[in-house]
Amino acid sequence: MFTDIQICLAEVVAGSAAWLGRGLSCVCAQRRESDARPSFDLTPAQEECLQRLQSRIEVSYDSSISEHQEALRALWNASFPEEELRDLISEQWKEMGWQGKDPSTDFRGGGFISLENLLFFARNYPKSFQDLLRKQEGDRALWEYPFAVAGVNITFMLIQMLDLEAVKPRSMAGAIFLKFLSENESAFDLLYCITFKLMDNQWLAMHASYMDFNTVMKSTRCQLERELLLEDVSRLEDLPSYSLLTR
Ligand SMILES: *[C@@H]1O[C@H](CO)[C@@H](O)[C@H](O)[C@H]1NC(C)=O
Ligand SMILES: *[C@@H]1O[C@H](CO)[C@@H](O)[C@H](O)[C@H]1NC(C)=O
């Protein structure tokens, strides 16, 4: 039996000062149950924050709810302020990296929170959001990852990585995250922005193509877990990858 506890083994390439991207790659290993750390007990405040986040995670995208439609429209406006969305179901969505003309079919994995994450990103870090949406930085691959679909995968990966559907954290990274969440309710959304930017950074450093997307996601996850465990990180803004974000 293996637990979900993942440990990251940092592998520093000798002589390289660049610790992001190629300079450092992470190898994820799983520990046996017997080696697992003891349970991570939550304070009542942390428990409440976790429950609030869990109730956000449980919400599926529902196109019959006007708040959900509004959020989708708001995402379009934040993404392409210069172009009007003709209809909620429109070929235009493909410009943003949705698979078809109805983004709601792509939310299945992540639910409404994946839309909220994208909106938070667009509103709070518009420069980074636009750079990623329009593939502005670095030598881009011939076969790029679709922006919006990748965003939904990031939401999903974070929920898995932090084990947010469990009653209490089962990994050190999860326990540390809950501490940040109890200090700032936006912690999940902020971590999402950091992760998206980090993923793109690794994508470029690995000269990846769409076939490598899962490998890039794995390496992103490892890097994040490693950063969360760094000693002098006492809030998300202290994560080394936070510095990749621009407002
Ligand atoms: C996202 O993950 C799902 C499975 O979880 C996969 O089918 C899909 O291809 C992934 N999307 C991207 C952008 O790779
Ligand atoms: C919480 O984090 C968000 C995102 O970084 C930030 O805008 C906000 O000011 C923070 N709130 C507090 C109370 O620190």
Side-chain angles (χ1 to χ4, degrees), residues 146 149-150 153 156 210 213:
V149 174
N153 271 39
F156 188 72
Y210 195 37
F213 185 76

Side-chain angles (χ1 to χ4, degrees), residues 28 30 39 45 68 82 87 101 118 124 136 143 148 212 236:
C28 270
Q30 289 189 313
S39 69
H68 290 194
E82 70 288 352
D87 190 31
K101 51 189 182 176
L118 280 165
N124 290 274
Q136 293 291 306
W143 193 13
D212 310 312
L236 286 177

Side-chain angles (χ1 to χ4, degrees), residues 120 124-125 183-187 190 237 242 247:
F120 179 93
N124 290 274
Y125 296 94
E183 287 157 6
N184 188 327
E185 195 111 44
S186 302
L190 178 57
E237 288 86 343
Y242 176 77
R247 281 201 189 268

Side-chain angles (χ1 to χ4, degrees), residues 61-125:
Y61 182 85
D62 181 346
S63 47
S64 69
I65 298 177
S66 65
E67 185 204 341
H68 290 194
Q69 293 183 6
E70 280 319 305
L72 201 50
R73 232 176 244 117
L75 178 64
W76 179 270
N77 294 334
S79 304
F80 302 107
E82 70 288 352
E83 187 185 336
E84 200 182 331
L85 181 66
R86 289 187 288 275
D87 190 31
L88 263 193
I89 295 179
S90 162
E91 293 289 334
Q92 289 167 288
W93 285 113
K94 292 184 185 168
E95 292 168 40
M96 208 184 153
W98 297 102
Q99 280 174 331
K101 51 189 182 176
D102 181 6
S104 70
T105 58
D106 288 326
F107 287 136
R108 270 186 221 125
F112 185 59
I113 195 171
S114 55
L115 174 52
E116 293 179 308
N117 285 154
L118 280 165
L119 252 182
F120 179 93
F121 193 8
R123 286 174 172 159
N124 290 274
Y125 296 94

Side-chain angles (χ1 to χ4, degrees), residues 94-241:
K94 292 184 185 168
E95 292 168 40
M96 208 184 153
W98 297 102
Q99 280 174 331
K101 51 189 182 176
D102 181 6
S104 70
T105 58
D106 288 326
F107 287 136
R108 270 186 221 125
F112 185 59
I113 195 171
S114 55
L115 174 52
E116 293 179 308
N117 285 154
L118 280 165
L119 252 182
F120 179 93
F121 193 8
R123 286 174 172 159
N124 290 274
Y125 296 94
K127 167 82 171 78
S128 288
F129 180 87
Q130 289 292 333
D131 285 349
L132 294 179
L133 171 66
R134 294 163 201 256
K135 312 276 182 188
Q136 293 291 306
E137 291 188 324
D139 278 336
R140 305 308 312 194
L142 285 176
W143 193 13
E144 274 290 327
Y145 63 83
F147 172 80
V149 174
V152 174
N153 271 39
I154 289 173
T155 300
F156 188 72
M157 181 275 275
L158 288 176
I159 293 171
Q160 303 284 302
M161 179 185 98
L162 301 168
D163 212 359
L164 293 176
E165 282 165 308
V167 209
K168 60 182 182 180
R170 288 187 285 201
S171 70
M172 201 59 191
I176 291 168
F177 171 75
L178 281 182
K179 191 179 145 289
F180 298 157
L181 183 68
S182 67
E183 287 157 6
N184 188 327
E185 195 111 44
S186 302
F188 187 74
D189 301 87
L190 178 57
L191 186 61
Y192 172 87
C193 302
I194 298 171
T195 308
F196 212 139
K197 196 65 191 151
L198 174 62
M199 185 279 285
D200 191 70
N201 203 269
Q202 304 228 332
W203 169 271
L204 291 173
M206 290 164 78
H207 299 288
S209 165
Y210 195 37
M211 287 210 306
D212 310 312
F213 185 76
N214 285 339
T215 310
V216 175
M217 284 294 282
K218 270 187 204 137
S219 121
T220 304
R221 175 178 167 153
C222 276
Q223 176 69 26
L224 262 186
E225 287 176 310
R226 191 188 149 273
E227 291 190 16
L228 281 168
L229 300 185
L230 290 175
E231 231 168 66
D232 47 1
V233 168
S234 58
R235 28 173 228 148
L236 286 177
E237 288 86 343
D238 297 331
L239 293 180
S241 291

